[in-house]
Amino acid sequence: MNSAWQWSPENEEKAKKRFGIKSYRLGQREVIQAVMKGKDVVGILPTGGGKSLCYQLPAFFCPHAVLVVSPLISLMLDQHDKLADKEIPAVKLNSTLNAAEERETFEHIENGSAELIYVTPERLESPEYLELLKQSGVSLLVVDEAHCISQWRHDFRPAYLNLRNAIEALGHPPVLALTATATPEITADILKQLQISEAEVIDVGNHRNNLFFEVIRT
């Protein structure tokens, strides 16, 4: 992590201009500040709370790429396309790539031109990919939808069990685990499975002011 970067008004304005930010949502600023201090962080923000900005903005200032582990290819493609629209260099490693696309992605990783690298957890089981990422450098490892570590690790996505090994193989970069859904038990399991027991936990709850329940008698 680039320890020289500080949350100054000047740098904040640069970030706002690049990402089109007018104001921060609840919890975003606290997570970003903790990340930029090089801390391990668990961020629990509601759906629509802007979790992706919590790692996309730091990527603008990090000396190396931000590696984002995403469980669903559809989510990965959506994030990648949004970044492309903003002309923010990002690449993805998943099963949708053909051989030529994968070679091109490797080149972007090797030459350091990608600020964000999106991968499925299964890709981080490959020593080849881990070595490539280690050589190019990873400033921050992000686990998106981090509740999956607890809920899916035993059967549906066993690759989540390997994330702790991937973190070790990459030289223990700071870890940011993000989710909208985590009970205290699941949060504790995330800390245990990723071996980030000293992480700062920022939990703003899951309440959304734009959603409500209503019963209409008929």
Side-chain angles (χ1 to χ4, degrees), residues 141-163:
L141 188 147
V142 180
V143 182
D144 200 10
E145 305 294 338
H147 59 276
C148 299
I149 294 169
S150 183
Q151 294 181 346
W152 289 357
R153 71 180 189 273
H154 298 303
D155 43 23
F156 183 58
R157 297 295 283 271
Y160 271 105
L161 283 173
N162 191 56
L163 286 180

Side-chain angles (χ1 to χ4, degrees), residues 7-18:
W7 193 257
S8 66
E10 180 182 357
N11 283 326
E12 188 169 1
E13 286 307 312
K14 288 181 182 178
K16 283 184 175 182
K17 183 177 180 180
R18 186 174 193 190

Side-chain angles (χ1 to χ4, degrees), residues 86-100:
K86 296 178 181 177
E87 298 183 347
I88 297 173
V91 296
K92 58 185 184 296
L93 276 172
N94 58 47
S95 59
T96 67
L97 303 181
N98 58 39

